[in-house]
Amino acid sequence: MSEFFKDGLARNYVAGDWVDGDEGARISVEDPGLETPVGDCALAGEASLAKALEGARKSFERGDLADMAPAALSRLMQRVANEIRAIADEGAELLCRESGKTLSAAGEEFEEAAQYFEYYGGVADKIEGKSIPLGPDYADYTVYEPFGVSAQIVPWNFPVSIAARSLAPSMAAGNSTIIKSPELDPMALAMLGVALERAEVPKGAVSILNGIGGDLGARLVASSEIDQIVFTGSVPTGQAILRAAADTVTPSLMELGGKSAAVVFEDANLDTVISSLQSGIFYNAGQVCSAMARVLVHRSIYDEAVARAAEMANGLSIGHGLDNPDHTPVASALQLDRVEELTSSAHQDGARIAAGGARLERTGHFMAPTILADVAPISRVAQEEIFGPVTCFTPFDTEAEAIAIANGTEFGLVAGIFTRDLARSHRVARKLRAGQVFVNEWFAGGISTPFGGVGKSGFGREKGLEALFNYVRTKNIAISLKE
Ligand code: NAD
């Protein structure tokens, strides 16, 4: 497959060329389900970064994407979507092995990535400005211009679909883009370069660099050669990047973590709640920024809800991602240590373990599907992001109390409401501090619905038409018509 994989090494896609790591640097990528190597990945260094930056700037100055006829840009993006689908089977197997997720979830990532290119390809010729009336002596209008070079830092939980989520609107707006892939699972994302190459995306318009966050990532975001930063990842890394961005005054988009709560009222359909919970906290082993990390349940149905959640968690099939079980390992030994340590603090804080609670004694980085009950809203486990297959149940008595608990963390990514009462669903949705509210189905919505946080969950929006305006800036042109 092109030059992507050579001599046992996945390579960097830099300004249209496949290159090895600078000075032969490479990292070994592990299969978290087997604890065996998947393969090696070349590590980009100073020389690759310089080549990517130069290629991106030159492509932008040539107007490769920004000056392309909008309809042609739409067609180019459709070709990228087609080429992503063409590599999806091979890519999904690689992603499954390097991330630990199920093969079907890995396939969904590639499909979602293709859909981002279709969606934003469909609007590349519809980025329209406004005409502003200033009376007969003036003509005034706005145009949306690309920033220039967009630097995009991607996390490991959904490397392919999150990369596409930012790259597609960036390209549609006419920017050049440099992606820094996550060091835990960079290989399937590097393969996205194959689709870009086959679709004949102009050289330099997109580069994908594999590199260590605190090294290559930090150098990329601190570079004075970039015009925008798009970061998806944890709060501490986002804060470090914002500090670097302050020095160069670089506009930034931050998609950070979450501790999202579902509020389950007494009239909720418990079957719906439990099926939502299964995907909400156990999909991708809970390594989802918008996971259903807290479940607040009206006291009258609380015991029944906890018992049914525990029964569901205990009944999940567990195994390697290639076998498509219900439950898969977390991404690394370090991640498992973090998840287990935070989960174990729950007991000291007075919570009860209704299911799971510790790692599983088997090969692979498996945390047991875990349901914590009677979790105090102010305890560590209810306040900090666990980023694993662990959720926290807490009872409530009144609507006002539920809203206060749901809003009582530093985060505000998504929230959920389960009720049959239409008026209550609208009323509570308005009061929840979150960028997106799901009613009666966790993860409702899709690529066309805006997504992003408030508070420490970040700022700016991805997905939907709304996201496009994070990748352009407005210019006003005011013309005097006076003699
Ligand atoms: P992380 O912050 O550790 O790493 C994210 C990326 O940043 C990686 O590519 C890493 O290499 C890079 N990085 C690390 N230090 C850097 C630095 N100093 N400068 C530049 N880049 C640097 O996050 P993670 O562990 O990969 O991902 C998990 C986190 O991401 C969770 O908090 C999760 O909630 C969040 N997340 C948010 C969203 C969202 O859309 N809001 C989506 C997915 C994940």
Side-chain angles (χ1 to χ4, degrees), residues 38 65 138 231 309 358 407 445 455:
V38 178
L65 298 180
Y138 297 92
F231 174 69
N407 292 346

Side-chain angles (χ1 to χ4, degrees), residues 107-351:
E108 283 160 23
E109 265 205 61
F110 274 86
E111 174 54 27
E112 198 174 304
Q115 288 178 15
Y116 279 119
F117 280 89
E118 281 170 347
Y119 181 84
Y120 288 106
V123 294
D125 57 355
K126 301 173 190 69
I127 307 176
E128 298 168 353
K130 289 186 181 123
S131 157
I132 298 170
L134 291 179
D137 290 339
Y138 297 92
D140 190 289
Y141 61 96
T142 60
V143 288
Y144 291 115
E145 297 184 333
F147 281 99
V149 178
S150 175
Q152 307 188 348
I153 312 279
V154 176
W156 48 260
N157 58 338
F158 295 100
V160 175
S161 59
I162 287 180
R165 182 177 87 176
S166 302
L167 173 60
S170 175
M171 275 181 67
N175 296 287
S176 293
T177 306
I178 300 175
I179 295 171
K180 207 293 283 173
S181 54
E183 47 274 64
L184 272 183
D185 50 7
M187 297 172 98
L189 173 49
M191 216 170 143
L192 209 60
V194 176
L196 299 169
E197 187 181 33
R198 289 182 180 168
E200 297 180 0
V201 171
K203 274 184 166 235
V206 185
S207 288
I208 305 173
L209 304 178
N210 310 312
I212 305 296
D215 180 20
L216 184 82
R219 276 187 283 147
L220 173 60
V221 296
S223 168
S224 55
E225 297 298 312
I226 59 166
D227 303 298
Q228 182 200 28
I229 298 169
V230 179
F231 174 69
T232 308
S234 66
V235 175
T237 308
Q239 289 168 322
I241 290 174
L242 283 173
R243 283 183 207 106
D247 282 344
T248 48
V249 195
T250 304
S252 305
L253 172 63
M254 291 282 138
E255 289 286 354
L256 308 178
K259 192 72 191 179
S260 304
V263 182
V264 179
F265 288 99
E266 61 278 16
D267 60 347
N269 178 335
L270 267 188
D271 290 341
T272 307
V273 174
I274 298 301
S275 67
S276 268
L277 180 64
Q278 180 172 339
S279 58
I281 195 63
F282 298 128
Y283 186 75
N284 210 32
Q287 301 162 120
V288 181
C289 51
S290 49
M292 195 165 159
R294 295 181 294 148
V295 189
L296 316 180
V297 187
H298 191 266
R299 200 176 297 277
S300 61
I301 57 164
Y302 178 77
D303 289 342
E304 185 188 355
V306 171
R308 289 193 54 184
E311 188 189 357
M312 177 270 288
N314 288 329
L316 296 177
S317 61
I318 297 173
H320 192 278
L322 284 173
D323 299 323
N324 281 320
D326 299 323
H327 185 65
T328 48
V330 297
S332 68
L334 180 64
Q335 187 62 15
L336 181 57
D337 288 347
R338 284 188 193 140
V339 171
E340 198 180 39
E341 185 279 319
L342 191 45
T343 304
S344 68
S345 76
H347 193 56
Q348 281 131 250
D349 287 340

Side-chain angles (χ1 to χ4, degrees), residues 20-80:
D20 291 339
D22 296 355
E23 288 148 21
R26 55 171 66 193
I27 43 170
S28 174
V29 177
E30 186 205 45
D31 179 330
L34 296 173
E35 300 181 50
T36 53
V38 178
D40 281 1
C41 203
L43 270 186
E46 196 68 51
S48 301
L49 177 59
K51 180 174 157 85
L53 286 166
E54 191 191 343
R57 180 63 56 197
K58 284 192 172 155
S59 172
F60 184 68
E61 282 170 359
R62 281 195 303 268
D64 283 351
L65 298 180
D67 295 343
M68 190 181 276
L73 181 55
S74 291
R75 285 194 296 273
L76 171 65
M77 294 188 61
Q78 180 60 54
R79 287 203 301 276
V80 176

